[in-house]
Amino acid sequence: MRRLLPALALLALVACTPATPPADTSGTSSSDARVMAGKGLLIRVEKTMTEDAQGIQHTKAVLHVSGVIEKDIDLGDIQGELFTVDPHTYPVYAEQENKPETIGVFTAWWAGQGEEITVKLHNGKLLVDHRYGDEQNTCTTPEQIAEVDLGGDVVVEFENLPDPTAKSSIAFCDTK
């Protein structure tokens, strides 16, 4: 019986120990630790909508980038409401061969003209481009808003994305 009591006490102690891991006291969650270790990049989209005196909708959007680098990328004043397009299902960007990898597409349309913002990875850099198009099929070439050196390959996660839409408002524009 004396040998059985310590074994029962140990068994009771193990059974009462919680199965959850101990709390992280470092101030970062495990997902933050992965990002902060330099292996990832988190892009959080922040947007605010206003309307001017003529009733034109304006979206002010900023990409807050954190992880391997810390940077805010101001997307400027966008006319209309900003939406997200999944580049993997959007035919214009679905074929990535020999091109920068498009990881994010944002679009807006207002009163006959549209805007498109693309977020790409290429040669260890984060590239953000902006272009316009209108209902007369006049399209601008992409203008670079930001080029950020990431120092290598990263895993990118987006947070707080605008509502999705099936395609860009200026899908009729050539992407070359």
Side-chain angles (χ1 to χ4, degrees):
M1 185 69 160
R2 286 186 175 172
R3 289 185 194 163
L4 186 59
L5 285 176
L8 287 174
L10 180 61
L11 183 61
L13 180 63
V14 170
C16 293
T17 303
T20 58
D24 181 5
T25 58
S26 68
T28 61
S29 70
S30 60
S31 64
D32 288 339
R34 182 192 57 75
V35 170
M36 300 315 285
K39 297 178 184 171
L41 193 66
L42 178 66
I43 301 175
R44 183 173 49 85
V45 181
E46 180 181 306
K47 71 173 190 161
T48 54
M49 291 199 51
T50 59
E51 193 172 291
D52 66 18
Q54 289 78 34
I56 299 172
Q57 291 181 338
H58 293 268
T59 299
K60 173 75 174 149
V62 176
L63 301 179
H64 297 287
V65 181
S66 61
V68 295
I69 55 109
E70 301 287 327
K71 184 163 182 74
D72 287 344
I73 301 170
D74 186 351
L75 301 182
D77 180 34
I78 299 163
Q79 288 191 6
E81 184 175 356
L82 192 66
F83 291 95
T84 301
V85 180
D86 181 354
H88 298 102
T89 61
Y90 180 36
V92 174
Y93 293 109
E95 295 297 324
Q96 297 293 329
E97 195 169 330
N98 299 323
K99 296 182 185 178
E101 179 186 5
T102 303
I103 58 171
V105 179
F106 304 99
T107 190
W109 182 266
W110 183 261
Q113 67 180 14
E115 300 182 44
E116 181 180 84
I117 295 135
T118 56
V119 181
K120 302 173 184 176
L121 293 176
H122 189 60
N123 294 333
K125 295 182 181 199
L126 179 73
L127 308 171
V128 181
D129 293 336
H130 187 215
R131 67 187 184 135
Y132 298 91
D134 64 25
E135 58 192 11
Q136 283 80 37
N137 290 340
T138 304
C139 303
T140 64
T141 57
E143 177 184 317
Q144 193 168 77
I145 296 174
E147 179 178 318
V148 181
D149 188 9
L150 301 174
D153 291 337
V154 294
V155 175
V156 179
E157 295 179 34
F158 282 91
E159 181 177 86
N160 200 36
L161 288 173
D163 290 337
T165 188
K167 64 180 183 174
S168 172
S169 62
I170 60 172
F172 53 85
C173 292
D174 187 7
T175 61
K176 295 177 185 170

